[in-house]
Amino acid sequence: MDVRDLQALRDAIRCIPDYPKPGIVFRDITTLLGDAPIFRLAVTELARPWDETVIGHVAGIEARGFILGGAVAHRLGAGFVPIRKKGKLPHETVRVAYSLEYGLDEMEMHRDAVRPGERVLLIDDLIATGGTAEAAVRLLRSLGAHVEAACFVIDLPELGGARRLEALGVPVRSLVAFQGH
Ligand code: AMP
């Protein structure tokens, strides 16, 4: 991506200080999604390294990962798989618990959503501590999928999420980085 495109992508992300609580800067991608050329740029750049690779499914993490993941899947000619908060999927599921800042949460996917050995790309809007993405990797691997990479529009490198995923053997692609939380 050239420097101008990168800057345009950064500028399209709205930063809201002290949301949802003091000290957090919320990185709001609704402004990026609402801007047609920038949305297309983000999807093209997320998918680009796999343009020539057979990807079985793109897995998106609820909820912003659904928007980006659906578009990336369409571009790559892959199927899309939703990873959802517990209790939302109607068929037989696999479930994993993961820790949030306060307490535990659980996420699920359909047991028959991916085939053993197939290549899956994981997508979300942002990686912070990496706890959410790590749980998604564990779910996908529990079904035998090969997690080809995890892709994010935004990385918050100070929170160490990318290192955490790479330590699990999952390559990480992110388009822009912001300092702080
Ligand atoms: P983590 O599990 O710490 O990597 O957090 C990643 C998840 O929380 C993603 O689904 C993000 O959408 C959301 N998230 C965490 N921090 C922020 C932030 N500063 N702005 C927007 N979303 C965030």
Side-chain angles (χ1 to χ4, degrees):
M1 200 177 359
D2 71 28
V3 179
R4 267 192 317 178
D5 281 350
L6 190 60
Q7 191 59 47
L9 208 54
R10 280 185 87 84
D11 291 346
I13 297 162
R14 179 161 51 195
C15 301
I16 304 175
D18 298 320
Y19 182 88
K21 55 183 190 175
I24 302 289
V25 183
F26 192 83
R27 309 295 175 175
D28 173 22
I29 63 155
T30 62
T31 37
L32 179 156
L33 298 172
D35 183 324
I38 302 289
F39 182 27
R40 174 171 284 178
L41 173 68
V43 170
T44 304
E45 288 301 326
L46 283 172
R48 185 186 297 286
W50 296 280
D51 278 345
E52 308 300 325
T53 307
V54 176
I55 296 294
H57 286 94
V58 174
I61 301 176
E62 189 169 359
R64 282 160 279 177
F66 291 179
I67 303 163
L68 294 161
V72 168
H74 177 73
R75 183 183 159 87
L76 293 176
F80 176 79
V81 169
I83 297 182
R84 300 211 62 179
K85 290 162 188 149
K86 71 164 179 229
K88 303 277 190 183
L89 289 167
H91 194 54
E92 201 184 328
T93 60
V94 284
R95 183 181 290 189
V96 69
Y98 63 107
S99 45
L100 294 170
E101 204 169 344
Y102 303 108
L104 281 181
D105 208 345
E106 290 174 291
M107 61 170 69
E108 294 181 332
M109 56 186 291
H110 277 146
R111 188 178 285 283
D112 60 1
V114 295
R115 290 178 307 281
E118 76 167 78
R119 288 189 171 134
V120 174
L121 268 190
L122 179 65
I123 307 264
D124 202 0
D125 64 328
L126 178 147
I127 182 162
T129 66
T132 308
E134 181 182 337
V137 168
R138 281 196 276 136
L139 262 188
L140 288 163
R141 285 182 171 172
S142 76
L143 293 175
H146 170 75
V147 183
E148 180 77 12
C151 308
F152 307 90
V153 174
I154 302 162
D155 182 18
L156 305 182
E158 284 170 41
L159 297 180
R163 283 194 302 280
R164 184 167 169 181
L165 288 192
E166 279 159 0
L168 290 174
V170 178
V172 174
R173 175 165 176 78
S174 55
L175 304 182
V176 300
F178 288 104
Q179 296 310 306
H181 290 218

